Amino acid sequence: SQTIHQWPATLVQPVGSPLSLECTVEGTSNPNLYWYRQAAGRGLQLLFYSVGIGQISSEVPQNLSASRPQDRQFILSSKKLLLSDSGFYLCAWRRPGGGGPGYEQYFGPGTRLTVT
Amino acid sequence: KQEVTQIPAALSVPEGENLVLNCSFTDSAIYNLQWFRQDPGKGLTSLLLIQSSQREQTSGRLNASLDKSSGRSTLYIAASQPGDSATYLCAVRRTGGSYIPTFGRGTSLIVHP
């Protein structure tokens, strides 16, 4: 079966510090991968998605970046965090191709980031 | 641009009631629609996925329907239980292009014992 991992689970970082959040998926190949942010009182915001190694699309301009160094690894980074980067970061995956049952989007447990 | 609205934003009911959660979308050219639940501080859990060619999907006490022409989906929860308390989100994927779903803001459900 497939599983998705995210770490760390929680993180408290000062303004201006760097960030690295990691997401890995097991049990599948060539997944579509996604990074979302969920801020308090706001909806789910898509940040990046990837259809393959080294292929990253950005949905929202910001000081964050994403990389996909391996097929099932997705990393979210920042060189200098802002207060507005605080939020709940979620990684998700789905099988590429179809849109019916079996092609659902699945989410990881999330990382709670607090920028102080 | 696709917009997804979920009404009501919050709902509180006694245990045992049958519930209907609503999801509406502005562009009917959708490929599929997926319902999720999210417990506080947790990730999203997939509940049901309905392809555009389908009218409904069922899983246990949950039934999701889709009326693409009117831009609506409903999630029916039968005989609600306190364990059903969570936020329920729907996400719609448009036809064509990459799989980038548009999410609603969710309905926060509380089921009282």
Side-chain angles (χ1 to χ4, degrees), chain A residues 47-58 65-69 74-75:
Chain A
L47 302 175
F48 300 95
Y49 75 95
S50 171
V51 297
I53 295 175
Q55 301 178 63
I56 310 293
S57 295
S58 173
S65 62
S67 62
R68 185 170 176 172
F74 206 21
I75 296 172

Side-chain angles (χ1 to χ4, degrees), chain B residues 31-84:
Chain B
Y31 195 48
N32 62 31
L33 184 147
Q34 190 170 357
W35 281 94
F36 298 86
R37 72 172 276 168
Q38 185 177 26
D39 295 285
K42 305 293 184 182
L44 279 68
T45 300
S46 177
L47 297 174
L48 291 163
L49 181 145
I50 311 177
Q51 250 183 314
S52 61
S53 58
Q54 297 175 310
R55 296 285 293 180
E56 64 179 75
Q57 282 282 342
T58 298
S59 176
R61 294 183 293 110
L62 304 179
N63 176 278
S65 67
L66 175 64
D67 185 344
K68 202 171 64 166
S69 61
S70 67
R72 293 180 182 178
S73 175
T74 61
L75 180 67
Y76 176 81
I77 304 176
S80 59
Q81 304 170 358
D84 294 330

Side-chain angles (χ1 to χ4, degrees), chain A residues 34 38 94 99 104-105, chain B residues 32 34 38 42 49 99-100:
Chain A
Y34 306 80
Q38 193 174 38
R94 69 179 291 274
E104 291 88 342
Q105 193 175 33
Chain B
N32 62 31
Q34 190 170 357
Q38 185 177 26
K42 305 293 184 182
L49 181 145
Y99 188 96
I100 303 176

